Each structure stands twice: as structure tokens, then as C-alpha cells.
Amino acid sequence: MFSIKIYFLSFKCVLNRFNRLGEIYLTGEFNLFDFSKAKKYFLKNIDLDSDDYASLYELGEIYLFGFGTEKNLELAEKYFSLAQASLLKIQNDPKRSDIWSPDVSERYLNRVNLTQVKDDKRLNHLALVKQSRLSVMPIDKKSWTIICNLGGIK
């Protein structure tokens, strides 16, 4: 836990610190997998900033896939809808335009799934396509551009 505290002290300007903690527990960064803690921190971040589209989106995924909880498609749809509405609200708010980026909105609303990657013949060379049970891999710039384009990011 000490290393996580140091990590956050180095990012004094980060507004969504609880979102970051949620991401750490959701993805297992620092070998810390705990879906219930991830959910707790995403909810806490929403309490502080109800327009935090990232936490809203991650909660949608937690309920969609049943990460640490029962699958609940109604709650997943609710959180995805709130995330989308939050993005639109932030985009149109001049006070928050400094944190708004079209690239960020695309990240949360147009994810590329593994089937899309496997179906694209230009990506057949990737370890992700060739090896099963792969969690981390290097990716070349050309392939990254293809995947971003599949997700709608130009």
C-alpha cells in the first residue's frame, strides 16, 4: 500500500484520484486485484464528481461482465447512459473544457474487442492473435493506428 500512496502524492493535480484507485483494483495493477474495492472507489469518485464519465463507464463494465458482483444488464445500461450523458455535458461546459478531449471520449465509448482484432487480417501478426491467454504484449505503431481506427479514433 505504501507504494500506491507515494504514487498518488506525485500526482497532486489529479482530480479523479478515486477513479485511479478503482482502475488499479479493476485491472490488477501492482498485483492488486479486488473488484469490490474497484467498485467502491468508482462509486466514491462519482459521489465527489457526478460527471466523472470514466468511473461511470467502468461501473457499467463491472455490471455488464459481473466483475465481483452479479451481472446486471439494467445497471450496466444505466451507468453507460450516464457516462455518455456526462461526456456530452462536459464537452459543452466551458469551465471544464480544459479536461475535455475528443480522444478521451472515444476511449470510453468505442472500445475495440478481441474479435474485431482477430477479424482484421492486417493484425494477424500480433501476439494477441497468435497466442492464447496473453495479457501484455508489445504493439507496433502501424498496428496501434489500425486498432485506434477500428475504435473510431482518427
Side-chain angles (χ1 to χ4, degrees):
M1 279 311 264
F2 181 73
S3 63
I4 292 175
K5 288 179 184 174
I6 297 297
Y7 180 82
F8 283 107
L9 288 174
S10 67
F11 288 94
K12 294 178 183 174
C13 65
V14 174
L15 298 173
N16 298 324
R17 62 193 177 280
F18 292 116
N19 176 272
R20 182 68 182 114
L21 277 171
E23 287 176 356
I24 287 170
Y25 285 113
L26 184 65
T27 62
E29 196 173 332
F30 307 113
N31 292 322
L32 297 170
F33 269 111
D34 190 328
F35 294 128
S36 63
K37 283 186 180 177
K39 181 178 160 186
K40 175 181 113 177
Y41 285 118
F42 291 135
L43 288 169
K44 190 167 190 154
N45 205 47
I46 291 167
D47 284 343
L48 296 173
D49 179 6
S50 62
D51 291 329
D52 177 38
Y53 56 87
S55 291
L56 291 164
Y57 185 90
E58 298 298 354
L59 282 166
E61 284 199 334
I62 285 172
Y63 285 109
L64 178 66
F65 298 111
F67 295 142
T69 189
E70 287 187 39
K71 287 183 181 182
N72 186 326
L73 297 181
E74 288 179 22
L75 279 175
E77 185 177 351
K78 170 190 167 187
Y79 283 115
F80 287 139
S81 295
L82 288 170
Q84 188 171 19
S86 175
L87 279 170
L88 294 172
K89 184 177 177 182
I90 291 170
Q91 182 180 14
N92 295 318
D93 184 352
K95 292 182 208 165
R96 297 188 75 173
S97 62
D98 59 323
I99 64 167
W100 168 251
S101 161
D103 291 342
V104 172
S105 70
E106 296 294 335
R107 173 181 167 209
Y108 288 100
L109 296 179
N110 295 314
R111 293 211 171 167
V112 176
N113 63 43
L114 183 58
T115 303
Q116 288 175 277
V117 172
K118 287 183 174 183
D119 287 347
D120 194 310
K121 302 299 180 209
R122 299 171 294 175
L123 301 171
N124 280 346
H125 67 284
L126 292 177
L128 180 66
V129 174
K130 294 179 178 182
Q131 296 174 304
S132 62
R133 303 186 72 176
L134 181 67
S135 60
V136 178
M137 60 165 246
I139 187 163
D140 57 277
K141 186 172 180 161
K142 182 178 177 185
S143 297
W144 179 247
T145 302
I146 292 168
I147 292 170
C148 287
N149 288 337
L150 287 172
I153 299 173
K154 305 294 180 204

